[in-house]
Amino acid sequence: TPMMTINDKLRSRNIERWHTVATSIKQNIAEHSHCMGIIAEYLLEAIFASTERQPSITERYIILKYAQVHDLPEIVTGDISSPFKRFLKEMLPDFAPLMEKVEASLTPELAQLDKMMEQEQCGYLKIILKAADMLEAYSYFITCKGQDEKHNETVFNKLETYIAECVDKGARLYPEFDWMVINTVFSEIKEQSSSVVIDFESELHAILKSG
C-alpha cells in the first residue's frame, strides 16, 4: 500500500464518521481530529498541573500531531464500526496485523510517534490521547445525536466506560499525574456548563436593550 499524498490527506474533510449511528449533524475525520487535538492539549496541561514541570514541546508536538493523523488511514479503509472491527479481530486472526500493516504504510507518522513516545518514556500520552478521542466523541454526540434513544443510550454508556477506563489506567500506571482531571473535563462537556459565546450574546443583548 503506497503512502498517502498531501491531496489524499486533505480528503479527511470528506470522510464521514458515525455512519452506522443515527445523528442529526454529520461529522468528518478532519473535524474530529481537530477537536480531539484541542481536548488532548487541554488534558495535557491539566494533568501536568499536579507536577513540578510543564509539558515539553516534544510532548505537545506528539499530542497534536497524533490527533491530526490518527484517523487518516480511514481515507482509504473507511470508518469501520467498532463492533464490526472487534468481530473481525475475533473471527480473523490475521485481520489485526493486516490493518496495522496497512495503517503503517499509509501513515508512517503514527509509527514514528509511537517510537518517540517510547524513546521519551511518555506512554502516559497514549492514555491522554485515548481519553481525548472518547471525550471528543461524547462532545459531538451529546449535541448531534439522532432520535433513536435506545441506540443513543448504548453509545453514551460505551463512551462513559471507555473514559472511566482511561482514568483507571492512568492512575494505575502513572500515579504521579492527577488523572481525575479527565472526569472534570468530562463533566464540563456533559453538562455544557459554560460558554463565552452564550455569555457574550447575553451581555450584548442586555447592553442593546438598556441602550
Side-chain angles (χ1 to χ4, degrees), residues 67-190:
Q68 181 191 63
V69 303
H70 77 290
D71 274 346
L72 287 184
E74 293 180 6
I75 292 171
V76 174
T77 66
D79 180 21
I80 305 173
S81 68
S82 296
F84 188 52
K85 191 181 294 185
R86 287 195 299 271
F87 171 78
L88 291 174
K89 288 180 179 179
E90 288 291 329
M91 300 301 294
L92 303 172
D94 294 334
F95 175 76
L98 175 62
M99 288 300 295
E100 290 175 5
K101 183 177 180 180
V102 170
E103 290 177 358
S105 175
L106 292 171
T107 50
E109 302 101 311
L110 289 173
Q112 293 168 1
L113 291 168
D114 283 332
K115 186 175 181 180
M116 286 181 68
M117 282 187 269
E118 184 178 342
Q119 291 174 341
E120 297 290 328
Q121 295 184 331
C122 52
Y124 45 85
L125 296 183
K126 286 190 175 182
I127 302 175
I128 292 174
L129 286 161
K130 182 65 175 180
D133 199 354
M134 297 299 102
L135 287 167
E136 192 289 321
Y138 202 102
S139 173
Y140 162 78
F141 199 64
I142 201 171
T143 56
C144 302
K145 63 185 178 182
Q147 297 183 6
D148 186 341
E149 293 300 333
K150 187 172 183 179
H151 201 174
N152 291 345
E153 183 180 359
T154 299
V155 172
F156 281 131
N157 287 340
K158 286 182 178 179
L159 290 173
E160 289 176 7
T161 297
Y162 296 149
I163 293 167
E165 288 175 352
C166 290
V167 176
D168 293 341
K169 185 176 182 179
R172 176 167 45 86
L173 297 180
Y174 303 98
E176 65 271 27
F177 297 111
D178 180 14
W179 294 97
M180 293 304 293
V181 299
I182 292 176
N183 286 335
T184 302
V185 174
F186 176 46
S187 294
E188 291 180 11
I189 289 173
K190 189 174 183 179

